[in-house]
Amino acid sequence: MLETPGLLICLFFLCGLCPCGQPVFFMVVCAGKHSAGGRLSDQVQLWRRVVLAAVVVAELPELIRAVRRGFGASLRYRWLPLFAPFGLIMLAWFLRPGQIEAFFGYTRPLADDETWLSLRNVLYYPRSFVLHGVPSVWFALVTAGALVWAAYHWRDPGVRIVGLFFLLGMASVMLLNHPPNPRFIAPFIPAAHLLVGLMVADFWRRRQTATGTERQRASAVLLIIGLLALVSVPSVVNRYRYAHSVLAARLETSPELGEMAQWVAAISGSDADVMVVNYFDQFSMPVLEWTIAAETGSNPPPVDGVILEPATPERTTALRESILDSQMDYLVLIEGGPWGAPFWPDYTAAFGDQLREVERYSLRLVNYGVADWLDENRLSSDWEQVKADSQQALDLGVIVYAVER
């Protein structure tokens, strides 16, 4: 998500220099969605959303003008070449089997047993913005003031574009992306800081050019902003002070996991189809696929994965058929990991002698389990104690099976 500002700069640079810049940029981004065997899909999905949101918001002033004078010219010479390539690629994407169902499954408001617009879910992202999107809770008052200032200067096209980008982005995330996670609002946080910068520049200009009461008011506002920024310094210092420790605890990566992925890559080789059972973030399908590619110097088939649920006849039959029908060569079982449950013995009976154990691997990992705490709290001087209290050991067992038919 850190590439958001660069993408926006690139977008508007292309739009300013080349009339066909926007459609070309759209096509490149959408084509990248399907490139590299899906390895870039997560990053490019974000690119698509950010670029689409930026362009749509940038076109809103033109839409308002078109309402007044008619849609003919804008539709023919502006919106058709701008959005048609993107629309065609999206149409082709959604015509794929199961894509519409998968889309609504991803954007459905909440789990079946939760209320959509509960107070917790309505306040989650504004609270997350205050905790993680601004230097401190006190500085959130400056951001709130910037939104009020933007409302008074809404006729300014620059203010309107930045404000709509932030407000519509936050609203779309609040209504569509569940379960909630602070990372979903990351593309829209820079827009709030841009509004703060525009507000500060406006009051600085007033202080330089105005006289009397207006000059005094501008000076008072700038003084308050400066004091709130000064109060925020300890919070910013904590972020930098604990950045490495937080990264290690949140990501929970380790050299041992890299060695385990290399061990699997040595067994499977470059052309085998592999499935990971009970994968987790630090040992997932993309991680294993990347390791196989790096170790073998090839472009391996995509690695598949499944999280085990309590065994039923239907589930065991479905898993067996999916493995055998997909021509899977190796199955990598992870026991004792943070995801999935130890139901593998209940599934093995369905395979009979079609699974042959190749080799076993075991290791102990340090797990912190602080992701939820970090999402719900602001860093303070007691972080290291929180990290130590949450530490626990995971004893992983990994078995590689060869699938025989």
Side-chain angles (χ1 to χ4, degrees), residues 328-340:
M328 199 67 60
D329 298 303
Y330 291 98
L331 190 145
V332 180
L333 169 67
I334 300 175
E335 295 180 315
W339 294 5

Side-chain angles (χ1 to χ4, degrees), residues 26 86 125-126 147 152 165 173-174 188 194 229 288 326 329 368:
F26 269 17
F86 178 80
Y125 284 112
L147 292 175
Y152 278 100
F165 181 80
V173 170
M174 290 172 64
F188 309 107
L194 285 175
L288 184 55
S326 61
D329 298 303
Y368 292 99

Side-chain angles (χ1 to χ4, degrees), residues 23-362:
V24 169
F25 195 61
F26 269 17
M27 293 178 71
V28 169
V29 169
C30 295
K33 163 70 180 172
H34 311 287
S35 67
R39 292 189 194 93
L40 301 180
S41 60
D42 290 341
Q43 293 89 334
V44 177
Q45 281 189 54
L46 173 66
W47 293 14
R48 265 191 330 172
R49 285 193 290 252
V50 171
V51 171
L52 178 60
V55 172
V56 170
V57 170
E59 289 301 307
L60 285 177
E62 179 65 22
L63 176 63
I64 295 172
R65 288 192 289 269
V67 170
R68 297 171 181 170
R69 67 170 185 253
F71 289 91
S74 294
L75 180 62
R76 186 181 307 111
Y77 299 111
R78 188 180 183 97
W79 294 328
L80 190 60
L82 174 60
F83 292 105
F86 178 80
L88 290 174
I89 293 176
M90 288 296 95
L91 178 62
W93 172 255
F94 280 108
L95 286 177
R96 297 173 62 195
Q99 282 302 121
I100 295 179
E101 180 181 354
F103 172 78
F104 285 104
Y106 177 75
T107 59
R108 66 191 178 93
L110 289 167
D112 295 336
D113 58 345
E114 295 185 60
T115 304
W116 178 30
L117 292 179
S118 65
L119 182 63
R120 176 188 179 277
N121 289 312
V122 169
L123 297 179
Y124 181 88
Y125 284 112
R127 180 174 179 271
S128 179
F129 178 82
V130 171
L131 288 175
H132 309 294
V134 292
S136 72
V137 175
W138 291 108
F139 201 82
L141 297 174
V142 177
T143 306
L147 292 175
V148 175
W149 173 88
Y152 278 100
H153 295 78
W154 202 249
R155 291 183 177 274
D156 186 320
V159 172
R160 185 165 60 242
I161 288 174
V162 176
L164 283 172
F165 181 80
F166 175 73
L167 294 174
L168 294 179
M170 290 288 290
S172 66
V173 170
M174 290 172 64
L175 296 176
L176 295 180
N177 279 287
H178 295 280
N181 189 301
R183 69 186 178 89
F184 289 133
I185 62 172
F188 309 107
I189 290 176
H193 298 312
L194 285 175
L195 289 177
V196 171
L198 291 171
M199 179 184 70
V200 171
D202 179 55
F203 279 107
W204 182 262
R205 179 187 57 79
R206 293 187 193 183
R207 183 184 178 279
Q208 297 296 106
T209 59
T211 58
T213 304
E214 185 177 355
R215 178 185 174 91
Q216 294 175 355
R217 289 176 179 173
S219 299
V221 170
L222 291 173
L223 178 61
I224 293 172
I225 294 174
L227 290 175
L228 291 175
L230 188 63
V231 172
S232 304
V233 169
S235 177
V236 176
V237 169
N238 278 335
R239 291 192 182 187
Y240 282 98
R241 178 184 178 187
Y242 298 119
H244 184 272
S245 177
V246 168
L247 189 65
R250 182 184 283 276
L251 298 183
E252 296 177 330
T253 55
S254 68
E256 290 83 1
L257 286 173
E259 293 171 2
M260 187 170 77
Q262 292 171 353
W263 170 75
V264 174
I267 295 174
S268 65
S270 60
D271 299 324
D273 289 312
V274 180
M275 172 179 281
V276 184
V277 178
N278 285 348
Y279 60 88
F280 55 101
D281 276 341
Q282 291 73 27
F283 195 84
S284 59
M285 293 83 73
V287 169
L288 184 55
E289 187 178 335
W290 181 273
T291 303
I292 294 173
E295 291 295 311
T296 62
S298 63
N299 185 21
V303 176
D304 204 351
V306 64
I307 299 292
L308 291 183
E309 298 182 77
T312 64
E314 294 78 10
R315 287 173 180 162
T316 55
T317 301
L319 180 62
R320 178 182 179 277
E321 291 179 351
S322 67
I323 291 175
L324 298 180
D325 293 347
S326 61
Q327 302 300 310
M328 199 67 60
D329 298 303
Y330 291 98
L331 190 145
V332 180
L333 169 67
I334 300 175
E335 295 180 315
W339 294 5
F343 297 117
W344 181 245
D346 300 330
Y347 282 84
T348 53
F351 290 92
D353 57 357
Q354 293 177 305
L355 291 181
R356 175 178 58 84
E357 183 177 323
V358 176
E359 200 170 340
R360 290 175 177 253
Y361 193 99
S362 62

